[in-house]
Amino acid sequence: MNTLFNAISLVPKMAQDDYVGFTFFVGCMAMMAASVFFFLSMNSFDRKWRTSILVSGLITFIAAVHYWYMRDYWAMNAESPTFFRYVDWILTVPLMCVEFYLILKVAGAKKALMWKMILASVIMLVTGYFGESVYRDQAQIWGLLSGIAYFYIVYEIWLGSAKKLAMQAGGSVLKAHKTLCWFVLVGWSIYPLGYMAGTPGWYDGLNGVLSMDVIYNIGDAINKIGFGLVIYSLAVQSTLKEAK
Ligand SMILES: *C/C=C(C)/C=C/C=C(C)/C=C/C1=C(C)CCCC1(C)C
């Protein structure tokens, strides 16, 4: 009887010490819960914040769907779901760039700023994918190119025109912008660490010590949910202020 059930069961067996599988499961649930939270809270805000909250929810929702597949992919193949990972990122990271634009719109942010950041993020991810998946023996070079695009984004928001707009906006927008800047500088720097743990290069010492997927999964939870919560609290503060 037992073997029969095992044969027809669609749930793959998980090892007790499968930390990667564990973080895929928890990540999936966390992204789903966060999406419900953002979607349901959307209508309690002033109109001008609704798009930002909607985008926060879309980011975690897109991630939830991909985590659903990555979780299965890992459980079945015990292999990094690199393809799904990068499809997820290529959709969600540009949306995070859109968030910067949306909150800076009050200070007159132009679409050109948004497209510049989106372009840089796409370059960062496509070069990262090449290094991680297609040209693995040149992972260092592709990682470096990806890193340059990453630093361009960091520059733009910390010192470039996005920063100037945030200063003009002032108040809670400036505060939220600053917090998001820290997410990009510190939170996003988790990813190159994961990349180094999972690809060959001068940093080979990291291989085996840390698991690339665990690092990526922790990074995603912090950055996607945390980022959304910063936007959420900005909307709460601004709605409260206007009610006064
Ligand atoms: C929700 C997903 C997010 C915020 C993903 C962010 C990904 C990065 C910032 C990835 C950056 C990389 C480098 C800076 C160099 C090595 C290759 C990457 C793609 C891992």
Side-chain angles (χ1 to χ4, degrees), residues 14-22 74 214:
M14 304 281 296
Q16 320 251 315
D17 60 350
D18 181 357
Y19 301 110
V20 177
F22 174 77
W74 172 264
V214 171

Side-chain angles (χ1 to χ4, degrees), residues 86 89 92-93 96 124 143 146 150 188 191-192 195 220 224:
Y86 276 85
W89 288 355
T92 51
V93 178
M96 294 168 105
M124 172 181 86
S146 174
Y150 168 53
W188 289 20
Y191 297 96
Y195 181 87
D220 278 354
K224 293 188 166 62

Side-chain angles (χ1 to χ4, degrees), residues 4 8 17 43 72 111 117 120 127 162 169 173 184 207 222-223:
L4 176 65
I8 58 171
D17 60 350
N43 285 323
D72 275 353
K111 285 239 169 68
M117 288 179 61
T127 49
V173 171
V184 173
N207 267 328
I222 294 174
N223 287 300

Side-chain angles (χ1 to χ4, degrees), residues 2-207:
N2 240 338
T3 41
L4 176 65
F5 273 123
N6 281 341
I8 58 171
S9 159
L10 289 173
V11 181
K13 209 168 166 162
M14 304 281 296
Q16 320 251 315
D17 60 350
D18 181 357
Y19 301 110
V20 177
F22 174 77
T23 53
F24 273 125
F25 260 84
V26 176
C28 188
M29 244 10 266
M31 296 294 179
M32 286 190 201
S35 310
V36 172
F37 175 79
F38 290 131
F39 288 145
L40 290 184
S41 70
M42 215 177 99
N43 285 323
S44 55
F45 295 115
D46 194 62
R47 278 191 82 92
K48 68 170 184 276
W49 292 112
R50 284 186 201 160
T51 317
S52 306
I53 304 289
L54 174 65
V55 174
S56 292
L58 286 176
I59 290 170
T60 52
F61 178 73
I62 293 169
V65 174
H66 285 86
Y67 267 76
W68 182 268
Y69 286 103
M70 292 198 284
R71 193 191 57 123
D72 275 353
Y73 187 92
W74 172 264
M76 298 291 223
N77 307 299
E79 219 176 68
S80 291
T82 310
F83 176 81
F84 294 109
R85 175 84 72 191
Y86 276 85
V87 176
D88 171 342
W89 288 355
I90 207 101
L91 297 170
T92 51
V93 178
L95 282 176
M96 294 168 105
C97 297
V98 171
E99 292 278 39
F100 273 98
Y101 164 73
L102 286 175
I103 71 166
L104 294 174
K105 241 166 75 176
V106 286
K110 301 252 163 37
K111 285 239 169 68
L113 168 71
M114 179 182 87
W115 288 115
K116 250 188 339 197
M117 288 179 61
I118 289 178
L119 180 67
S121 71
V122 169
I123 293 173
M124 172 181 86
L125 295 171
V126 170
T127 49
Y129 182 75
F130 281 163
E132 201 173 308
S133 180
V134 189
Y135 307 109
R136 272 184 79 80
D137 47 342
Q138 304 163 2
Q140 301 178 88
I141 298 162
W142 291 105
L144 179 68
L145 291 176
S146 174
I148 292 170
Y150 168 53
F151 275 113
Y152 173 76
I153 299 173
V154 169
Y155 169 82
E156 189 57 52
I157 55 172
W158 275 90
L159 306 159
S161 53
K163 164 75 190 229
K164 284 192 202 95
L165 289 164
M167 299 281 276
Q168 276 166 36
S172 48
V173 171
L174 177 60
K175 240 175 72 193
H177 177 83
K178 250 201 195 125
T179 314
L180 294 182
C181 282
W182 279 108
F183 267 96
V184 173
L185 183 66
V186 181
W188 289 20
S189 72
I190 295 171
Y191 297 96
L193 257 179
Y195 181 87
M196 291 198 277
T199 58
W202 57 267
Y203 38 70
D204 262 351
L206 279 173
N207 267 328

